[in-house]
Every structure is written in C-alpha cells, then in structure tokens.
Amino acid sequence: MKKIILGLAVLSTVIMKAQTQIIAHRGYFQAQPPTTENSIASLENAQKLKIYGSEFDVRMTKDGVLVVNHDEHHGEMEISETSFKDLEKLKLSNGEKFPTLKDYLKQGKKDSSLKLIVEIKPAKTPEIENEITQKTLKMIKDMKLEGQSEYISFSLNVCKQIKKLEPKFKVQYLNGELSPEQIKNEGLDGMDYHYSVFQKNPTWISEAKALGLITNSWTVNDAAVYQELKNQGIGFVTTNIPDQLKNK
Ligand code: MG
C-alpha cells in the first residue's frame, strides 16, 4: 500500500511538473533571424513553435484605433496623443507596418492552437481604460476569437472591467501586490507575476493552485528560474526564450 501511495505521489508530481506551459513574450522575437517584438513576424514565429500561447500589448491611439505596441511611444510619438495616420508613417524596425490589433488578431486566427494572451496596457484614466477594454473585447468577439483569447493587465480596473463585461473570459493580474486570496476575492482567474514576487512569497503558487487560480510568471528568461517555478508546480511561464524552455 505504501508503495502504491508513494508511486501515486511521484506520478502526480511528474504530471504536475509536466503541466507547466510556455507563453512567448511579445511573440517570439529572439528567433533566427531575430525580429521586432510585438510584430506580426514575431507572432508567426511563435505559431511555428507549438507552444501554449503568445502574449502581446494593446494600446489605443488618440483617434481610437487599437494597436499592438509595448511602449507608450512609437518612435518619438506618444501613441495615446497621436492619430493612427501619423503613427503608421513610421514602420517597425523590421520594416513591417505599425500593427493594428485587427491585423494582429487576423494573423492569430490562422492558428487556433496558439492562445492569444492579450495584455491591455493601463491608460491615463479609468474611462479610457474602459473604452480600450470594451473595444478590445468587441473586436475579439466580432472575429470569433473568444475561445482562443486570455487577458492580462497591470491595471486592476482593466481586469475587473473585463470580468464585468465578460464573466467567462480568463483574466490574470500582473502587478504582483495581491495575494492569491485577494485575487480570488476580486473575482479574477489568476495571477501572472514577476518571478521575484513568487521567490519572496514561496507559498503563493501552491496557495493559488489550491484556490483554483491560474499561475503564470514573467519574464522567465533563465533556465534555473524556470526549473524553480516548475518545481513549485506553476501552470505557465511567459518568456523571451520559448524555444529553449519548451523542451526543458
Ligand atoms: Mg506585455
């Protein structure tokens, strides 16, 4: 009997570790040849890897166009203060046109096996955040990508707004200060925290899992950190080196 229990414990640990899944951070841009983060090419690269998902950042131009870009600025232009017409005059460093969310989602739809991890960036006011959130969800629904999309944000307002509009959509909070219990109480689905937060709070991954929350960590670009998180049974890691981590 003891042997069976031990065997089951080992087996469950193996299964638990095997369940850690890989998300490419801003697409897979550190590829051969390298490309620009958050570009269509970086998403195409991620699609070739056969991993869980690919993350990207959503912002809104002054005239209300949703675009994919990490920084507040595109070149010298502040995205939220510039019209799309002016922004698109400047190409990405790989020569692509400045990507709209619509163009990005069209590419994402070509491979339904790769989840789209949509990060909605915080905006200057809650009202603007709510507008970006509402428009993003509408576009995803119009394109019938609901089942392929999950959401993350540093803004608790954005996270709660998504759950208010679409209670079934999966939402993870990025900012790191809320405990698993607080995440649960806010009605969110999970925590996607910087790995240093999990190192400082070594019980959080198991607590989150016990509460049925999704556990995810960014930006895990080190195999040793990946192993440490995997040993704790983390569900997902978000990384710039998805090609290297996917076989570890
Ligand atoms: Mg991001």
Side-chain angles (χ1 to χ4, degrees), residues 136-148:
T136 301
L137 299 192
K138 182 177 185 305
M139 189 176 285
I140 284 170
K141 286 191 292 178
D142 287 348
M143 293 178 74
K144 305 211 177 340
L145 282 165
E146 300 99 312
Q148 202 184 323

Side-chain angles (χ1 to χ4, degrees), residues 48-248:
K48 289 174 196 145
L49 285 181
K50 300 295 157 207
I51 51 176
Y52 180 81
S54 189
E55 182 263 4
F56 55 92
D57 303 291
V58 178
R59 296 184 174 277
M60 190 171 70
T61 67
K62 192 178 185 182
D63 53 339
V65 179
L66 298 173
V67 294
V68 174
N69 200 71
H70 176 266
D71 295 350
E72 282 177 35
H73 290 80
H74 174 49
E76 302 278 293
M77 298 173 279
E78 188 175 348
I79 292 169
S80 64
E81 301 299 327
T82 312
S83 69
F84 182 72
K85 199 166 154 277
D86 285 336
L87 287 160
E88 73 171 347
K89 284 177 192 159
L90 178 64
K91 301 259 194 268
L92 296 185
S93 58
N94 66 359
E96 274 180 33
K97 70 187 189 81
F98 187 54
T100 62
L101 176 63
K102 195 167 197 174
D103 288 342
Y104 209 87
L105 293 175
K106 271 187 202 164
Q107 179 61 40
K109 203 172 163 71
K110 291 179 186 171
D111 180 358
S112 62
S113 70
L114 185 82
K115 293 271 194 280
L116 301 170
I117 313 299
V118 184
E119 178 177 352
I120 299 179
K121 283 291 182 192
K124 289 180 178 170
T125 67
E127 290 74 25
I128 299 172
E129 288 187 344
N130 294 352
E131 185 187 343
I132 298 173
T133 302
Q134 184 265 327
K135 283 184 168 179
T136 301
L137 299 192
K138 182 177 185 305
M139 189 176 285
I140 284 170
K141 286 191 292 178
D142 287 348
M143 293 178 74
K144 305 211 177 340
L145 282 165
E146 300 99 312
Q148 202 184 323
S149 305
E150 298 177 14
Y151 304 84
I152 55 176
S153 187
F154 282 98
S155 162
L156 187 57
N157 173 59
V158 167
C159 290
K160 290 170 81 166
Q161 190 66 18
I162 297 168
K163 292 305 282 186
K164 192 173 146 192
L165 295 170
E166 295 292 340
K168 287 187 179 158
F169 284 11
K170 284 187 191 163
V171 182
Q172 300 164 50
Y173 184 52
L174 291 168
N175 207 41
E177 83 283 14
L178 299 181
S179 70
E181 202 180 344
Q182 287 170 313
I183 291 285
K184 188 82 182 171
N185 290 339
E186 293 288 0
L188 307 181
D189 301 288
M191 52 212 310
D192 180 1
Y193 286 173
H194 189 262
Y195 59 83
S196 64
V197 175
F198 291 123
Q199 288 170 334
K200 272 183 224 137
N201 299 279
T203 60
W204 276 13
I205 292 173
S206 58
E207 282 173 35
K209 289 175 63 153
L211 290 168
L213 296 171
I214 300 165
T215 50
N216 191 346
S217 184
W218 54 275
T219 306
V220 181
N221 299 328
D222 180 300
V225 174
Y226 175 64
Q227 278 306 330
E228 196 183 300
L229 293 163
K230 196 174 170 175
N231 289 343
Q232 292 183 56
I234 198 154
F236 302 87
V237 294
T238 304
T239 176
N240 292 341
I241 53 166
D243 57 319
Q244 293 171 49
L245 297 189
K246 72 172 189 168
N247 295 322
K248 286 202 188 284

